[in-house]
Amino acid sequence: MLVERLTLSGQFLALSRFEPQLFNQPIEFVLANGVTVNISSPGIIQFTPASTSLKDIVISCGVHGNETAPIEICDDLVSQILRLELTPQHRLLVIFANLPSMAIEKRFVEENLNRLFSGAHSSTDGEHNFERQRAQELEQVVADFFTQGSETSERLHYDLHTAIRASKNDKFAVYPFLHGKQHSLEQLAFLYACGVNTFLLSESPTTTFSYYSSRQFGAHAFTVELGKVQRFGENDMSKFVAVRETLTALIANKELKLPEFSPEKCFIYRVNQVINKHQADFKLHFDSDTPNFTDFEKGHLLASETGAQYRCEFDNEAIVFPNENVAIGQRALLTVVATKI
Ligand SMILES: [Zn+2]
């Protein structure tokens, strides 16, 4: 019955959200095209093709529940696979991360899920809430997925988001800190084909989902920001054609042919300052609707709180992800400066 409902309607996300008890037990079944489907819990679905797979691909969305466009894109991909309209040629794990926060149309329920990976879910300075349990579960699911794949497979993880505010560079990707490893130009070319023309090279470890996959499993992993937050059904899906088509091609083709990466068409930044909020009176000194990647001159006051002032250290230092409403101890602002790769 459940398998029929899934394969006829393709509505894995809707069933996960509104009838999660259906997935209390793990489920495995094989589609008519030979693809094996494994559902380990609500919002987590894995596809394994019958033939040998060259890549192990993780696509996650909804780490922030109100970031609807990527959720709609992934829902559509999963639905097409279940209805046999799209045949994955590689092992594929699709994760709808924070289902309860989708229900309340909020970024998260108790705590920012994307600050809880690499073990941060088990730090003692917080309650054992839903997001902490889910971070731990997602770590395990991703670990199982990568370690059960072939050792020669290329490991990929695209964690799809949308930003709270508008951005001067509509689509951008955060490249996790690689601890000295080379950045992959092939991956930048892939993201460019998805419509991403701006890359932020992180220079320190973080507790994000993409850093976890990159650091623990050597995956090519990225936090990909695909535009601005809108409500479910209110996204202009024409803005996402490139990312949908490119992800579909990645999933459905044994080999993906992409044009070579041309850095001159892109904006590449490195993170210069990570500014955390330490006091309740933390305040940003620019308008609340200032787009991401707006830049300021050296010495410009960006933010302040009791005992500290945060200023640009370089000319054309730009702001990303400003949010003065974060919990104390959390990141309230990143600054970036142009760099070369
Ligand atoms: Zn997000």
Side-chain angles (χ1 to χ4, degrees), residues 2 21 30 47 91 131 153 155-156 173 175 186 213 216-217 221 223 279 288 297 305 308 316 332:
L2 177 54
Q21 71 284 358
V30 181
F47 302 100
R91 291 175 76 240
E131 271 98 5
S153 285
R155 293 173 172 176
L156 305 168
Y175 208 138
E186 199 185 336
S213 292
Q216 297 299 319
F217 306 103
T223 306
Q279 306 287 344
S288 61
E297 295 310 294
E305 61 187 348
N316 305 114

Side-chain angles (χ1 to χ4, degrees), residues 168-213:
K168 285 175 76 179
N169 307 49
D170 188 45
K171 296 184 176 63
F172 62 98
V174 181
Y175 208 138
F177 180 45
L178 294 181
H179 297 261
K181 277 198 308 184
Q182 285 285 321
H183 294 98
S184 162
L185 298 184
E186 199 185 336
Q187 285 299 310
L188 298 186
F190 173 81
L191 291 165
Y192 185 76
C194 290
V196 173
N197 71 345
T198 301
F199 301 95
L200 236 83
L201 312 181
S202 174
E203 296 196 327
S204 55
T206 57
T207 47
T208 61
F209 202 6
S210 62
Y211 175 80
Y212 169 75
S213 292

Side-chain angles (χ1 to χ4, degrees), residues 155-317:
R155 293 173 172 176
L156 305 168
H157 180 179
Y158 304 105
D159 183 35
L160 308 181
H161 291 248
T162 51
I164 301 173
R165 59 185 61 215
S167 175
K168 285 175 76 179
N169 307 49
D170 188 45
K171 296 184 176 63
F172 62 98
V174 181
Y175 208 138
F177 180 45
L178 294 181
H179 297 261
K181 277 198 308 184
Q182 285 285 321
H183 294 98
S184 162
L185 298 184
E186 199 185 336
Q187 285 299 310
L188 298 186
F190 173 81
L191 291 165
Y192 185 76
C194 290
V196 173
N197 71 345
T198 301
F199 301 95
L200 236 83
L201 312 181
S202 174
E203 296 196 327
S204 55
T206 57
T207 47
T208 61
F209 202 6
S210 62
Y211 175 80
Y212 169 75
S213 292
S214 169
R215 182 68 177 151
Q216 297 299 319
F217 306 103
H220 296 293
F222 299 88
T223 306
V224 187
E225 301 282 347
L226 295 174
K228 192 169 180 295
V229 165
Q230 308 287 353
R231 301 184 67 198
F232 277 115
E234 293 180 7
N235 291 299
D236 173 0
M237 292 317 273
S238 69
K239 289 184 178 165
F240 304 103
V241 172
V243 62
R244 292 166 76 123
E245 286 181 353
T246 310
L247 286 175
T248 303
L250 171 72
I251 293 167
N253 294 334
K254 275 264 179 234
E255 291 195 57
L256 195 60
K257 294 267 181 281
L258 291 171
E260 213 168 282
F261 180 65
S262 10
E264 65 281 1
K265 291 185 194 155
C266 295
F267 301 90
I268 301 174
Y269 296 95
R270 67 172 181 82
V271 175
N272 187 52
Q273 301 184 59
V274 179
I275 298 172
N276 292 328
K277 173 175 175 173
H278 299 289
Q279 306 287 344
D281 63 357
F282 184 95
K283 189 175 175 326
L284 296 169
H285 288 262
F286 44 83
D287 285 345
S288 61
D289 56 355
T290 305
N292 275 327
F293 297 102
T294 300
D295 61 329
F296 298 94
E297 295 310 294
K298 184 175 173 177
H300 187 95
L301 181 64
L302 296 171
S304 66
E305 61 187 348
T306 299
Q309 290 193 330
Y310 305 98
R311 295 177 183 276
C312 288
E313 295 172 346
F314 295 91
D315 282 338
N316 305 114
E317 190 164 341

Side-chain angles (χ1 to χ4, degrees), residues 63-64 67 107 114 160-163 225:
V63 164
H64 297 129
E67 298 177 0
R107 196 168 161 74
N114 214 21
L160 308 181
H161 291 248
T162 51
E225 301 282 347

